[in-house]
Amino acid sequence: MTIPHEHTDQRLACRVVERMASGDTAALGDLYDAHARYLYSLALRMLRDASDAEEIVQEVFTQAWRQAARYDEARATVIGWLLMIARTRSLDRLRAREARPDRTVANPVPDLPSEAPGQEAEALSGEAVQRLRTALQQLGDALRTPIELAYYEGLSQSAIAKRLDQPLGTVKTRMRTALSQLRELLLHPEGA
Amino acid sequence: MSLRGHEAVAQLAAPYALGVLPANERQVFVSHLTTCVECRREVAELSRVVEAMPQTLDQAALPPSLKARVLAAALSTDTARRHAIGEQRVVIASRWVAWLAAAASLAAVVFGAFAWNGRTETARLRTQLAVAQQREAALDRQIGALEDSAGHTRQTAAILRAGDLGRVELVGQAGAPGASGRVLWSASQGLVFVATNLPPLPPGRVYQLWVVADKPLSAGIVVPDSAGRLTVINSEPVAARPKAFALTIEPEGGRSSPTGPMLLVGSNE
């Protein structure tokens, strides 16, 4: 898999997590400096409340500090690991806030079988993220909205169909099409 | 699996990567993944897209005080690792000590900024240093236990000798009718809090003590000792005219204001 990435960032981030696992308190500050703005922005986007978003950031770093020794770089990049925690906790808070029955339980993507080829986690470069940002804008509302409702609000495909008043099959197709298009632009730009 | 069957299951890759597949379908798909290389690759690639999505958000400015609060909260709830790692041993007992640790971390961050900016050699040396520190943990732990004990005794003595020492009895509320607590507090020296007969904590929760002035202010996250007793020694100055003290149950890491059930409360008026 030819993926644009910055090995350096991910390697540095891994060393920071190793230092946390060995009890280096300064490493926690390093991790905050490198990633807190992404976590805060995500929580703010999901919860629309600065105070709640700050508490999510606090919870993420508390959990990361406690579980640093369990971080496995073969399974996720450091930023991916932190964002996953932030999203899961934000979804929990959204559900507690709204107690809506049509929202599915969050399913953090489980560990993939370790023998799968090409699964090593690599951080995306700033250039790749920018390319994704442009691609998201160019998708158009019809394709972008279902994946945003799924990611940022944790809605199932059925709940999205209900929210958008669209047939379930349409939502399924659009979600798959959107992610596939983004994948091609992000991971295989030479063929796009 | 037939091609048609595979195609039907493969359609689940997108909602799976987005983490919104209902439990029954998720079970089917996870089972399929163990035997299908193609779908594993599909999920891996779609997951990269999903992981990158939040990184495309406009970046919000971080509140300036958040870093200190995050570091203090993370380090002050570190109850398990303090027994394993010598460097953490000083961090736990009171929020004040945790803030000192956070300040030390901030200083280290300033001096370490160049390492983050690409000086991998420095990062490597810091890793080696961390390993060396770990090797000294056993000795540190023994010394630390003695220092903690002596430090708490000194802190407690300073509070109890204070000329403005006040005392408030805390009474168990509906969730803990048999519990009781006591706060000995000084506006200048801090407070000592003890409590007994509290119900066990649910998983992922901590006790948090509050000084109620104009609004509740956290006086620290409280972790029971091995015998179930609660003791807090906090050297932070107490609000000059606290109206009350209270103990609540909060999510791990504590909260900036009370959100959970109140177990103990005592009025100072």
Side-chain angles (χ1 to χ4, degrees), chain B residues 80-165:
Chain B
R81 290 176 56 186
R82 67 173 161 153
H83 297 297
I85 299 168
E87 190 175 342
Q88 304 315 311
R89 63 182 160 67
V90 296
V91 171
I92 314 304
S94 75
R95 204 164 68 109
W96 173 244
V97 182
W99 277 93
L100 280 180
S105 297
L106 289 172
V109 166
V110 170
F111 290 112
F114 289 110
W116 181 256
N117 287 333
R119 293 177 60 174
T120 53
E121 179 63 13
T122 308
R124 190 179 65 79
L125 291 172
R126 291 176 73 174
T127 303
Q128 290 178 351
L129 177 61
V131 171
Q133 287 171 335
Q134 200 171 10
R135 286 176 184 151
E136 293 178 10
L139 183 57
D140 280 351
R141 197 160 59 240
Q142 293 173 29
I143 297 170
L146 293 171
E147 287 177 349
D148 283 353
S149 173
H152 288 175
T153 304
R154 277 195 298 274
Q155 275 184 309
T156 307
I159 295 167
L160 298 183
R161 279 201 306 266
D164 58 348
L165 187 69

Side-chain angles (χ1 to χ4, degrees), chain A residues 17 34 39 48 56 64 86 127 133 153 157 165:
Chain A
V17 175
L39 308 177
R48 313 277 185 189
I56 293 294
E127 184 271 330
R133 185 179 290 129
E153 297 192 34
Q157 291 178 318
D165 195 21

Side-chain angles (χ1 to χ4, degrees), chain A residues 1 3-4 8-9 12-13 15-16 18-26 28-30 32-38 40-42 44-45 51 54-55 57-59 61-62 65-66 68 76-77 79-80 83 87 93 104-110 112-113 115-117 119-120 122-124 129 132-133 136 147-148 150-152 154-157 172 175-176 179-180 182-184 186-188, chain B residues 7 10-23 25-26 30 33-34 37 40-71 73-75 77-78 81 85 87-88 91 101 104-105 108-109 112-113 115-120 123-124 126-127 130-131 133-134 251-257 259:
Chain A
M1 183 159 54
I3 300 173
T8 311
D9 276 0
L12 279 174
R15 298 296 87 74
V16 170
E18 284 174 11
R19 286 165 50 211
M20 285 166 55
S22 68
D24 181 350
T25 54
L28 186 61
D30 289 349
Y32 180 95
D33 288 343
H35 298 310
R37 65 187 187 282
Y38 293 111
Y40 181 66
S41 301
L42 172 60
L44 202 56
R45 166 69 174 77
S51 175
E54 289 178 30
E55 289 188 353
V57 173
Q58 187 168 307
E59 291 172 11
F61 283 99
T62 298
W65 173 249
R66 283 202 330 267
T77 60
I79 181 65
L83 286 167
R87 180 189 178 228
R93 193 165 289 220
T104 60
V105 174
N107 296 323
V109 176
L112 291 167
E115 73 276 16
Q119 306 266 321
E120 67 277 13
E122 297 164 345
L124 290 168
V129 170
L132 180 65
R133 185 179 290 129
L136 272 166
I147 60 172
E148 288 189 339
Y151 187 84
Y152 295 115
L155 296 185
S156 69
Q157 291 178 318
K172 286 182 175 179
M175 187 179 277
R176 191 179 189 191
L179 275 193
S180 296
L182 293 174
R183 172 185 54 186
E184 292 309 307
L186 183 70
L187 307 182
H188 308 295
Chain B
E7 180 58 26
Q11 292 186 359
L12 303 178
Y16 176 82
L18 283 160
V20 294
L21 205 52
E25 290 181 296
R26 185 167 179 269
V30 168
L33 276 183
T34 61
V37 173
R40 285 206 296 272
R41 184 179 294 115
E42 171 98 350
V43 164
E45 293 194 354
L46 295 185
S47 297
R48 300 295 309 282
V49 175
V50 171
E51 178 184 301
M53 275 177 59
Q55 298 178 57
T56 67
L57 290 171
D58 291 337
Q59 299 296 302
L62 287 167
S65 64
L66 182 58
K67 182 173 181 178
R69 279 183 282 140
V70 163
L71 295 182
L75 300 179
T77 57
D78 188 4
R81 290 176 56 186
I85 299 168
E87 190 175 342
Q88 304 315 311
V91 171
S105 297
V109 166
W116 181 256
N117 287 333
R119 293 177 60 174
T120 53
R124 190 179 65 79
R126 291 176 73 174
T127 303
V131 171
Q133 287 171 335
Q134 200 171 10
E252 268 182 345
R255 286 287 178 268
S256 54
S257 57
T259 62

Side-chain angles (χ1 to χ4, degrees), chain A residues 72-89:
Chain A
D72 181 354
E73 63 182 294
R75 289 175 171 162
T77 60
V78 171
I79 181 65
W81 174 53
L82 296 172
L83 286 167
M84 188 272 286
I85 298 173
R87 180 189 178 228
T88 302
R89 287 181 174 270

